[in-house]
Amino acid sequence: MKLMFTALLASLFLLAGCASEPNINQIQRSELEVDPLLGHKLEVVEIFEERMPQASGESMLRVQFAVRGNSDTRFAWKVNWFNVNDMKVRGVGKGYRRARILSDQTRYFYATAPSAEVKSFQLHIRGIH
C-alpha cells in the first residue's frame, strides 16, 4: 500500500513537470517584499487587487493591503508596477510613503496604478530609522 502511494505521488510529480513548459520570459517575483528587520514588528495580513473601470473603457489596477502592528512601528511603503512584459512602469513621482502603526492596530493602505498598461505589482515595505 505504501509503495503504491509512493509510486502514485512520483508519477503525479513527473506528469506535472511535463505538463507545463516553463516560460523563460516570465520573471518570478513575490508580490510582497518586507524588510527582514520588520518581521517581528508588523505583518501584512491581507493583500487585495482589483481592476477599477475608467470612463475610457480601460481599467486601472488598484492594490489594497492591511498591516497589523505587533509593536509601535514607523515604516515606509511603495508599490512597483509592471506591464504585461514584466517591465517596470514609471509612476508619477511617488516613492516610499511614510506610515506609523501602533501595537495591536490594523491599518489599510491602497495605491492605484499610474496607467492601464499595468498588469502586476510588487509591494515593498521597509523600516524607518
Side-chain angles (χ1 to χ4, degrees):
M1 181 72 165
K2 198 177 203 181
L3 183 61
M4 283 179 47
F5 181 71
T6 305
L8 178 63
L9 269 177
S11 62
L12 284 176
F13 285 126
L14 181 63
L15 287 174
C18 295
S20 60
E21 184 175 314
N23 184 349
I24 59 173
N25 293 328
Q26 288 289 339
I27 297 172
Q28 296 298 318
R29 87 176 93 72
S30 169
E31 290 178 343
L32 176 63
E33 290 288 326
V34 178
D35 182 348
L37 299 175
L38 288 177
H40 65 284
K41 294 182 176 185
L42 59 79
E43 62 183 308
V44 177
V45 292
E46 296 176 277
I47 298 179
F48 299 106
E49 63 179 282
E50 66 178 326
R51 306 273 332 165
M52 304 293 292
Q54 302 295 305
S56 65
E58 297 179 317
S59 64
M60 305 284 266
L61 181 62
R62 181 178 174 156
V63 174
Q64 180 176 327
F65 64 98
V67 176
R68 177 159 170 61
N70 297 325
S71 64
D72 295 357
T73 306
R74 293 181 188 277
F75 64 97
W77 65 276
K78 75 173 184 174
V79 178
N80 286 335
W81 306 103
F82 300 91
N83 65 17
V84 70
N85 297 321
D86 277 332
M87 299 294 293
K88 193 172 181 182
V89 176
R90 295 184 65 122
V92 186
K94 293 201 176 178
Y96 279 91
R97 301 174 192 181
R98 294 176 176 256
R100 181 178 182 196
I101 193 158
L102 304 176
S103 183
D104 296 324
Q105 180 185 43
T106 300
R107 288 190 59 193
Y108 290 85
F109 302 91
Y110 71 91
T112 303
S115 72
E117 73 179 276
V118 169
K119 300 298 179 202
S120 62
F121 68 95
Q122 185 177 41
L123 172 63
H124 295 267
I125 300 177
R126 70 178 187 188
I128 298 175
H129 304 295

